[in-house]
């Protein structure tokens, strides 16, 4: 895990650097594009900030979701794609005519988008493996593996699943089945059964 953390920190640092470069380059290009199309200086400053702001907010939402083992909601991905295309389009629009000029202008945005998705892949892979180890026992009667430092996201997910089970009892007052719990959180039936057993024994309070 130490090696994984070092790799992630290095990747995050590189992505942050690329984000700064792309933000500066994209800001200049979008500012120039706005001025060309009749916007005043204030609008030409605010519009690039709004575009980059959407990208940052969507990226942070997806990053948080990935840390909890999810890919993030559709809205976050739509805003990320729209913001990235707007930034990329502005860079290309103000580039020198010709293929080379457009590639040079678009490169910072392309590099940022690609490196960011690689970072998300790293986080998804680590979250999935850790969540699987912590929350899916090898056999139905087996307890959750012990871990001195369980991932916070996994613990929160366990408690959220148990809370959902208690709030969605059947008409006769019994708890939902393990399969129902698993389907609600897109996990395996074995995981749902473990949540139900652990909750009934008070381990998720």
């Amino acid at each position: 895990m130490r090696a994984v953390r070092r790799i992630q920190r290095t990747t995050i640092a590189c992505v942050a650097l690329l984000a700064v470069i792309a933000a500066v380059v994209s800001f200049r290009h979008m500012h120039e594009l706005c001025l060309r199309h009749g916007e005043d200086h204030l609008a030409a400053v605010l519009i690039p900030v709004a575009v980059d702001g959407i990208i940052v907010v969507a990226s942070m939402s997806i990053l948080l979701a990935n840390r909890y083992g999810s890919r993030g909601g559709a809205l976050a991905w739509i805003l990320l794609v729209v913001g990235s295309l707007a930034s990329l389009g502005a860079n290309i629009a103000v580039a020198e005519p010709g293929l080379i000029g457009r590639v040079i202008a678009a490169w910072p945005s392309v590099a940022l988008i690609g490196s960011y998705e690689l970072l998300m892949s790293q986080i998804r892979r680590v979250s999935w493996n850790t969540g699987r180890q912590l929350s899916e026992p090898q056999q139905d009667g087996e307890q959750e593996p012990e871990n001195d430092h369980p991932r916070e996201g996994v613990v929160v997910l366990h408690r959220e699943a148990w809370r959902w089970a208690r709030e969605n009892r059947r008409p006769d007052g019994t708890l939902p089945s393990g399969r129902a719990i698993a389907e609600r959180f897109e996990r395996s039936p074995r995981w749902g059964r473990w949540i139900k057993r652990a909750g009934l024994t008070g381990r998720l309070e």
Side-chain angles (χ1 to χ4, degrees):
M1 288 302 297
R2 290 182 180 177
V4 171
R5 291 192 189 99
R6 291 193 189 100
I7 292 172
Q8 283 192 340
R9 287 169 185 161
T10 302
T11 306
I12 289 171
C14 292
V15 171
L17 177 60
L18 288 172
V20 172
I21 295 172
V24 172
V25 173
S26 295
F27 179 87
R28 294 180 61 188
H29 288 168
M30 281 187 280
H31 183 269
E32 181 180 345
L33 188 64
C34 289
L35 292 177
R36 285 185 186 179
H37 288 79
E39 297 293 340
D40 58 27
H41 287 282
L42 179 59
V45 170
L46 295 179
I47 290 174
V49 173
V51 173
D52 289 337
I54 287 178
I55 296 175
V56 171
V57 172
S59 299
M60 292 300 100
S61 297
I62 295 171
L63 177 60
L64 180 62
N66 274 263
R67 292 187 66 84
Y68 283 84
S70 170
R71 284 189 60 87
L75 178 60
W77 279 103
I78 291 172
L79 291 178
L80 178 61
V81 171
V82 170
S84 299
L85 289 177
S87 177
L88 186 61
N91 290 336
I92 294 175
V94 299
E96 291 294 327
L99 177 62
I100 295 178
R102 289 170 181 167
V103 169
I104 292 173
W107 185 254
S109 292
V110 173
L112 175 60
I113 295 169
S115 61
Y116 181 80
E117 179 55 30
L118 290 175
L119 174 61
M120 294 300 99
S121 298
Q122 289 182 13
I123 294 174
R124 280 195 295 269
R125 191 174 297 111
V126 172
S127 298
W128 185 85
N129 288 335
T130 304
R132 183 182 175 188
Q133 293 170 3
L134 289 175
S135 61
E136 294 193 4
Q138 296 300 314
Q139 298 178 1
D140 288 348
E142 191 175 328
Q143 292 184 341
E144 181 190 28
E146 295 294 332
N147 192 315
D148 292 336
H149 302 284
R151 289 181 65 87
E152 180 182 353
V154 174
V155 175
V156 171
L157 179 62
H158 289 171
R159 291 174 178 168
E160 181 182 350
W162 175 236
R163 183 171 59 253
W164 179 87
R166 287 182 298 172
E167 293 174 352
N168 292 270
R169 294 177 181 271
R170 295 166 174 167
D172 60 0
T174 59
L175 292 168
S177 66
R179 180 177 295 276
I181 298 172
E183 289 177 353
R184 171 64 180 78
F185 292 88
E186 300 181 350
R187 297 289 179 133
S188 70
R190 184 169 54 195
W191 183 87
R193 291 192 294 270
W194 183 89
I195 289 294
K196 190 172 180 178
R197 288 197 306 272
L200 289 171
T201 56
R203 297 173 61 186
L204 301 180
E205 299 295 338

